Amino acid sequence: MDGFVVPNNSATLAFDNIDLSYGRWDNQQLYRIKDFALLGEQYVDSSEGSLVCLATQTSVERLNSLPQVAANWQGKMSVALFAAGPEEFVVLQYFVTYMRLCFANIRENATFHLLTPRDFDKLPRVAALPLNMRGKFDCQYPDRTLKALLKFRSLKTLQWRQRNTYPQNHMRNLARKGCQTKYVFLTDIDIVPSTNSVPQLNHFLRTANCTKSCAYVIPTFEIDVRATFPRSKNALVRLIRKGLARPFHEKVFIYNQYATNFSKWLSSNTNDTEVSVSHIVTNFEFLYEPFYISVDNAPAHDERFLGYGFTRNSQVYEMHIAGYQFYVLSPVFTGHWGLQRKQARPAWREQQNNANRRKFDVFKSEIFVRYKNDPRLLLKAKKNQILVK
């Protein structure tokens, strides 16, 4: 591993005391779960002083995003990790060790939970990583570090990953329940919060007066990789004017975030020190998928949805049917690297999407009964009233 610099021999590998041959099952007995597999050194103390925790989830390939997330989110983080087999578990051990040694906020405030598939033990094991892996890590290059570690996965493990769906909703539920605060900010691992979000949000949430079931939407933007991550809303607006940033999924699938009403947010108060409600979401779209903060009594993510398609939006849609009101906050925001383009999706992704679409019809009928609220009937009643008039 040329040029790979790393923890000294006295460093203890993350999860060294974890036995993955047992753990609690998910509802379908497809996955084993290890809650609080590794606790942040200040995780318990930070829970007492903060109202909000960032809950996020990832497969092993994307974990290199966490250092930047942690640099901007100086507070409590609950991170759900997926390991497809023993090889990926070893990669997680080394990379989590690396992050805890290199990044103080991850060591102090990030707590990790593990999820593994039922047939975990049937996949290949890593014989042994080179002894020099316990030398020194280069803290400046998390991307390079993870890339080097991922080379230890065998072809059999990679083929398993292609055949099996990533359990996104299991992971979201696991991360959510790992938070020990009143409010949870649920994200994906590659969604980077704006700087100073934690103190700003804590101040806002201490005085938030929500009489209904509320969710606070944090607008998300795509940022060109040539740009520097904006340190304020004003800096973000300047990037947008230069064509170096734009609303998340605007060119790929606009309805994903359309109801946030970015135009209204961009024209609202740009005070960069105090969080306030910019506006209320009034044009809820069926496929709306905002990243939001809410009290953790919001509906769970339905774990029947595996892989891609209908995973986040099904949960947000249930919130809508249950009567939640969505409030868009300013000046806080989140960023996702790269201006996305429409590309032909791989066949496996479209297959997963179609499978989940079929499940959604059943799910939708269930939540209409659960909340005694079928928007189709309400729409029909309104049309009848118009005809009578």
Side-chain angles (χ1 to χ4, degrees), residues 14-85:
F15 315 120
D16 244 6
N17 61 338
I18 298 296
D19 184 351
L20 294 178
S21 63
Y22 69 93
R24 70 176 175 92
W25 287 110
D26 71 302
N27 292 335
Q28 301 172 66
Q29 295 194 359
L30 297 174
Y31 304 97
R32 286 192 180 95
I33 299 166
K34 289 285 189 180
D35 303 274
F36 300 97
L38 183 58
L39 201 65
E41 292 176 356
Q42 297 180 12
Y43 194 70
V44 177
D45 293 338
S46 64
S47 299
E48 298 174 358
S50 181
L51 286 173
V52 62
C53 160
L54 186 143
T56 192
Q57 49 79 32
T58 184
S59 58
V60 63
E61 298 95 341
R62 297 179 181 271
L63 191 51
N64 56 311
S65 296
L66 187 59
Q68 184 172 17
V69 170
N72 284 12
W73 184 268
Q74 291 289 313
K76 187 176 176 186
M77 293 167 284
S78 173
V79 186
L81 304 176
F82 179 72

Side-chain angles (χ1 to χ4, degrees), residues 307-319:
Y308 285 93
F310 298 90
T311 54
R312 274 199 303 124
N313 82 280
S314 58
Q315 190 269 345
V316 174
Y317 187 66
E318 182 172 352
M319 291 174 73

Side-chain angles (χ1 to χ4, degrees), residues 221-225 227-230 236 239 244-245 335-339:
F221 293 84
E222 300 172 2
I223 301 169
D224 195 299
V225 293
T228 301
F229 194 91
L236 173 63
L239 286 182
L244 294 174
H336 180 280
W337 285 111
L339 301 180

